[in-house]
Amino acid sequence: MKKIIFSIICSLVFSALCFSQVKKPTTTSKPSIKPILPVNILKSAKDSASYAMGVFIVSVYNQQGITDINSTLVAKAINDIQTKKPRLLDDTQANTAVMNYLSAIQIEKSKPTIAAGEKFLSENKKRAEVHTTSTGLQYEIITQGTGPTPVIGDSVVCNYKGNLVNGEEFDNSYSRGEPVTFSITRVIAGWTEALLMMPTGSKWKVYVPYKLGYGASDYYTIPGGSMLIFEMELLGVKEK
C-alpha cells in the first residue's frame, strides 16, 4: 500500500515539474525566427566552371534577343551529350532551329521599322520621277552618265551617302574625303541591282527595301528591317 502511494506521489511531482517547464505564450512575445542563410552549392572548381558555362550560354543568347529559354530542355541536351544518349536534333537541325527562332524574334522586333519602310515606299513610288523594279527597288536619276555600265565580276569606284527613313545618316564617303572601291557582287543586293543599270558618271538616289538591304536583323547602327536611302555616284569601273 505504501509503495502504491509513493508511486502516485512521484507521478504527481514529475507532472508538476514538467508543467512548470512549459512557458505559456503571452500576447506580447513573438517567436524568434532565425534567418535562412543561402547554402553555397559551388563546392569545387568543377561546380564553379559548370555554373559559369550556364551563365555564358544564357548570356550569349540573351544578347541575340532570346530571353525565354526552356532551361529543362537545355539541361536535357547537356545530359544527353554527356551520357552519349541519342540526341533529339543533329548539328544541322540544331543550327537551323536556333537560326529560325532568332529570325522570328528579330522580325517581331523589327515589325514597326519594316512597316515604316513599306509605307514610305508605297507613297514614294507614286512620284513620276521614281522608277520601281520587279524586286521592289526604287530609284530616281539625278544625273545620267554616258560611260560604261558595270557587269558581274567588275569592281566599281563610288561615292555615296546613306540615310534611314527618319533622315538619320549612317554612312557617308563624301565626309571621309575619298570614294570607295569594291566588287559589284560584294555589297547588298539593292546596290548590285542598281549598279548593273548605272552608266559611269551617273548619280542616282536609290531606295532599298529591307529585303534587298540588311534584312530583318540589326547591322551595326542600322536597325533590323530598315529601308535604306542612298545617293550613289558611279565614278568608275574596273573590269575583271
Side-chain angles (χ1 to χ4, degrees):
M1 183 68 176
K2 289 181 179 179
K3 289 182 178 181
I4 295 174
I5 294 173
F6 181 79
S7 297
I8 292 172
I9 292 172
C10 288
S11 296
L12 291 172
V13 171
F14 180 78
S15 297
L17 288 172
C18 289
F19 182 79
S20 67
Q21 298 300 316
V22 179
K23 293 182 179 179
K24 294 182 179 180
T26 62
T27 56
T28 57
S29 64
K30 294 182 179 179
S32 59
I33 301 175
K34 294 182 179 180
I36 300 174
L37 299 176
V39 178
N40 187 359
I41 61 174
L42 305 179
K43 298 178 181 179
S44 67
K46 182 178 75 173
D47 290 347
S48 297
S50 298
Y51 186 82
M53 290 175 195
V55 170
F56 292 145
I57 290 171
V58 175
S59 297
V60 165
Y61 285 110
N62 279 350
Q63 292 172 6
Q64 301 299 318
I66 298 180
T67 57
D68 185 15
I69 296 175
N70 188 330
S71 58
T72 301
L73 287 176
V74 172
K76 174 175 172 53
I78 293 171
N79 183 67
D80 286 350
I81 292 172
Q82 283 191 317
T83 58
K84 295 181 171 54
K85 291 181 179 178
R87 293 167 52 177
L88 301 181
L89 299 172
D90 61 27
D91 288 347
T92 301
Q93 292 170 326
N95 184 66
T96 301
V98 171
M99 295 306 295
N100 287 345
Y101 191 42
L102 280 171
S103 178
I105 290 174
Q106 187 62 57
I107 288 174
E108 188 64 29
K109 173 187 172 184
S110 302
K111 275 184 176 179
T113 306
I114 292 172
E118 290 177 344
K119 181 180 179 181
F120 179 95
L121 291 170
S122 178
E123 293 297 320
N124 194 53
K125 70 180 181 180
K126 297 176 183 178
R127 297 193 294 123
E129 61 269 32
V130 173
H131 307 272
T132 304
T133 71
S134 60
T135 65
L137 181 76
Q138 296 179 4
Y139 66 95
E140 57 183 295
I141 300 171
I142 300 172
T143 302
Q144 184 73 337
T146 57
T149 300
V151 296
I152 295 296
D154 289 345
S155 291
V156 294
V157 183
C158 291
N159 259 326
Y160 68 93
K161 66 177 180 178
N163 292 80
L164 303 176
V165 174
N166 61 10
E168 180 183 343
E169 184 178 286
F170 59 84
D171 200 2
N172 190 330
S173 70
Y174 295 101
S175 63
R176 292 194 295 271
E178 60 180 353
V180 293
T181 301
F182 51 84
S183 170
I184 198 172
T185 56
R186 296 183 66 85
V187 287
I188 58 174
W191 266 52
T192 299
E193 182 178 351
L195 287 167
L196 289 172
M197 299 185 290
M198 292 178 68
T200 301
S202 296
K203 185 175 183 178
W204 289 9
K205 194 167 187 178
V206 181
Y207 306 87
V208 182
Y210 82 97
K211 290 182 179 179
L212 301 178
Y214 295 106
S217 299
D218 296 341
Y219 183 79
Y220 294 98
T221 60
I222 300 174
S226 292
M227 190 278 294
L228 308 174
I229 303 172
F230 291 98
E231 284 188 16
M232 300 170 55
E233 188 176 3
L234 179 57
L235 303 176
V237 176
K238 295 183 178 181
E239 295 180 359
K240 183 177 179 181

